[in-house]
Amino acid sequence: MNLGISATEFVSQAKEGALSVEEFVAKTLDRIKKIDEKIHAFITVDSQNALDKAKAIDKKIKSKEKTGICFGMPISLKDNICTAGLKTTCASKMLENFVAPYDATVTSRLKSEDAIILGKVNLDEFAMGSTTEFSYFGPTKNPWNPEYVPGGSSGGSGASVAALECLASLGSDTGGSVRSPASFCSVVGLKPTYGLISRYGLVSYANSIEQIGPVAKTVEDVAFLLNIISGHDVHDNTTVNHGHVDYVKDIKAGVSGKKIGIISQMIGDGIDKEVASATTSAISKLQDLGAECIPVSLDAVNHSVAAYYTIASAEASSNLSRYDNLRYGFDFSTEGYEFKAFISKARSNFGPEVTRRMLLGAFVLSAGYYGKYYLKAQKVRTMIKAQLDEAFKKVDYLISPTMPILPFKVGEKIDDPLKLYLTDINTVTANLSGIPAISVPFSMSSSGLPIGIQLFANSFQEKELLQAAHALQETSKLPEMSL
Ligand code: GLN
């Protein structure tokens, strides 16, 4: 049995009865047992429940009972997506033992289509980070070379899919957290349009810019998952009723006759040489397929990282005020403490990056600094959106490398927050503006590390975006995971 098959292949084999779901799940769980100590993608593995579900689904398939369209596909969920009865830790000491009383909308939609949730995967604490090193439970490693970071903050999602520990995963993307690990781990990751997917049951970090997004081996798999998890939700008023779209249908439409804008600000200074040459080669492959590629300048992008960290931290400082050991936390004893000491003791349990963000966020929102920082950042956000609106009058898609540099060594940048923040330079634009963006694995560096290419489309153009991503995916042959 080959654990390297795509989710779509798994579904078609399981549907035909050509594969035992129980055997596939058992083999996947064995693999997790064997290799996850090297990768540390998982925080919680729900083995028994997964096996029981697999058995039940096999039975349904055999007896030709109606089965959900996932047919027992084993998946992982980032550990900031709520699962009733299974811990949701956000990789924080604060929520070390937290069990949500309800399922996130994405969780219940996947369950009702007979996906099997194998477990919950690692992230930077509360999704704040770009490497998955800021997890209370320790870092996740890159399956292509465990000395290197897997990207972040959904590093567990990227690594678990790349290491064949599941067929697909859901992450969350506030500033690049689905696309960064997709790029560093050589898998596909989509940040959908703001409002396409319900955030009900996603633990909030910066809720005006974040979306849940699928991570999988292929673009078809991502489209398949999007069909299940997208759409209006009465529990989340920011979801848009966009009508029914089948993202899988016509995915092979290609890019012939399409116009693609190359974002000048994302391929210039500070970009790794091998990443730059991979991008040039991706562009020429798309041209070979009949697309016209032209340079596009978005100068507001020069301020995007500063604006992103101002807005995201401001929202984080407000969202995370609920972790006070009164409403949420882990130590509810109040004896012997007056209020301030109690709160400050509670909040000293956050890790250094979360603390930094909350302080920064409280600062940029405070009287006297609000206009100077927060308001200015919001103006940059408006400028970015306006420049993108102009660009999309001329082109169908935009292209850039997903990450400006190759995966780097675990620990290499951990003491330099600014260097880490700058790795988000190409991803935050999609979040600040709400548009969709996808990372497609494209090539490997001379040292064997993955390079991903990012494509953007206008809001709610996921169908077209996935078609272009599919075309790009078909141009490259990448090595198989050998771990
Ligand atoms: N790296 C960014 C940050 O640290 C993005 C995180 C995310 O998308 N959740 O905030």
Side-chain angles (χ1 to χ4, degrees):
M1 194 170 269
N2 176 13
L3 297 184
I5 59 174
S6 70
T8 315
E9 276 169 56
F10 169 89
V11 166
S12 73
Q13 289 189 30
K15 204 196 286 184
E16 305 287 293
L19 153 167
S20 147
V21 176
E22 187 188 355
E23 218 179 285
F24 195 93
V25 167
K27 209 170 158 204
T28 308
L29 289 167
D30 276 353
R31 181 163 171 86
I32 295 173
K33 223 184 236 159
K34 218 171 79 206
I35 66 157
D36 205 55
E37 54 189 36
K38 278 192 222 135
I39 303 302
H40 191 225
F42 281 83
I43 293 178
T44 306
V45 182
D46 197 17
S47 309
Q48 197 49 52
N49 190 30
L51 285 169
D52 292 346
K53 284 250 160 69
K55 250 186 231 163
I57 292 168
D58 271 335
K59 238 190 198 163
K60 277 210 262 186
I61 298 171
K62 250 203 189 126
S63 61
K64 301 221 165 13
E65 238 178 274
K66 189 169 166 16
T67 310
I69 62 169
C70 290
F71 288 91
M73 170 203 298
I75 58 164
S76 69
L77 297 181
K78 186 176 183 177
D79 210 13
N80 61 351
I81 297 175
C82 289
T83 41
L86 193 63
K87 275 196 248 179
T88 299
T89 69
C90 289
S92 179
K93 185 178 178 186
M94 273 291 187
L95 295 179
E96 192 173 1
N97 294 310
F98 174 67
V99 179
Y102 64 94
D103 275 332
T105 297
V106 291
T107 308
S108 56
R109 287 191 182 173
L110 283 164
K111 280 184 179 170
S112 67
E113 289 298 350
D114 281 331
I116 294 179
I117 297 163
L118 289 184
K120 306 292 291 289
V121 282
N122 208 5
L123 63 152
D124 290 290
E125 186 176 5
F126 284 102
M128 295 177 199
S130 310
T131 58
T132 322
E133 291 169 290
F134 291 119
S135 163
Y136 170 63
F137 302 104
T140 295
K141 312 285 177 62
N142 193 316
W144 294 96
N145 184 337
E147 282 178 25
Y148 288 77
V149 298
S153 65
S154 318
S157 292
S160 62
V161 174
L164 317 186
E165 295 175 302
C166 59
L167 285 174
S169 185
L170 293 187
S172 65
D173 192 311
T174 311
S177 279
V178 161
R179 290 161 286 154
S180 147
S183 176
F184 277 9
C185 295
S186 198
V187 292
V188 184
L190 170 74
K191 195 294 280 182
T193 307
Y194 187 79
L196 188 71
I197 296 182
S198 170
R199 287 179 296 105
Y200 179 71
L202 168 70
V203 178
S204 287
Y205 157 20
N207 37 314
S208 85
I209 49 180
E210 64 205 359
Q211 278 286 287
I212 290 171
V215 176
K217 288 189 202 106
T218 69
V219 176
E220 295 89 325
D221 290 357
V222 162
F224 176 79
L225 287 166
L226 197 61
N227 274 353
I228 299 168
I229 61 173
S230 64
H232 181 249
D233 177 17
V234 289
H235 296 301
D236 177 358
N237 283 334
T238 63
T239 53
V240 173
N241 204 343
H242 189 58
H244 175 75
V245 179
D246 182 347
Y247 296 100
V248 175
K249 194 168 171 261
D250 302 327
I251 200 161
K252 295 185 179 148
V255 288
S256 177
K258 299 284 182 190
K259 271 198 177 164
I260 304 178
I262 308 157
I263 307 176
S264 320
Q265 285 76 9
M266 296 189 188
I267 53 165
D269 289 347
I271 185 168
D272 175 273
K273 268 203 194 107
E274 287 191 79
V275 174
S277 80
T279 312
T280 311
S281 137
I283 291 166
S284 77
K285 296 227 160 135
L286 289 164
Q287 282 168 331
D288 291 346
L289 294 172
E292 185 191 339
C293 298
I294 55 168
V296 164
S297 176
L298 301 171
D299 57 20
V301 161
N302 293 331
H303 309 291
S304 61
V305 170
Y308 167 78
Y309 277 93
T310 304
I311 292 168
S313 300
E315 291 186 28
S317 78
S318 163
N319 276 322
L320 272 64
S321 63
R322 74 193 68 167
Y323 305 101
D324 51 12
N325 281 356
L326 292 167
R327 290 165 290 180
Y328 292 94
F330 69 101
D331 172 11
F332 296 94
S333 61
T334 49
E335 226 170 292
Y337 293 109
E338 52 86 25
F339 185 70
K340 266 195 184 155
F342 176 82
I343 294 293
S344 78
K345 178 171 174 267
R347 295 178 68 77
S348 67
N349 290 302
F350 283 121
E353 187 55 29
V354 173
T355 305
R356 181 162 30 240
R357 304 281 179 106
M358 289 188 307
L359 290 172
L360 179 65
F363 175 71
V364 299
L365 287 175
S366 58
Y369 293 100
Y370 179 92
K372 210 168 164 188
Y373 297 110
Y374 183 74
L375 200 62
K376 234 187 209 162
Q378 292 290 14
K379 286 182 180 165
V380 169
R381 187 174 179 181
T382 307
M383 263 164 63
I384 290 178
K385 181 72 174 73
Q387 292 188 359
L388 283 167
D389 286 346
E390 275 309 303
F392 283 121
K393 283 184 190 156
K394 295 188 212 108
V395 298
D396 302 288
Y397 305 109
L398 292 164
I399 191 168
S400 77
T402 310
M403 302 299 287
I405 53 174
L406 295 172
F408 43 91
K409 289 217 162 127
V410 175
E412 194 181 315
K413 297 189 198 296
I414 194 148
D415 295 323
D416 194 336
L418 272 185
K419 271 196 185 146
L420 283 174
Y421 296 174
L422 282 171
T423 64
D424 299 335
I425 176 87
N426 293 352
T427 49
V428 294
T429 294
N431 304 81
L432 290 172
S433 60
I435 66 168
I438 191 166
S439 179
V440 182
F442 183 72
S443 62
M444 289 284 179
S445 71
S446 51
S447 51
L449 295 165
I451 300 175
I453 298 294
Q454 178 172 230
L455 288 163
F456 307 77
N458 211 348
S459 294
F460 297 106
Q461 304 261 297
E462 271 79 3
K463 191 169 171 75
E464 293 75 10
L465 182 61
L466 290 161
Q467 288 169 344
H470 184 271
L472 182 62
Q473 163 188 278
E474 296 302 286
T475 65
S476 52
K477 178 109 191 72
L478 293 164
E480 273 174 26
M481 174 51 54
S482 57
L483 186 77

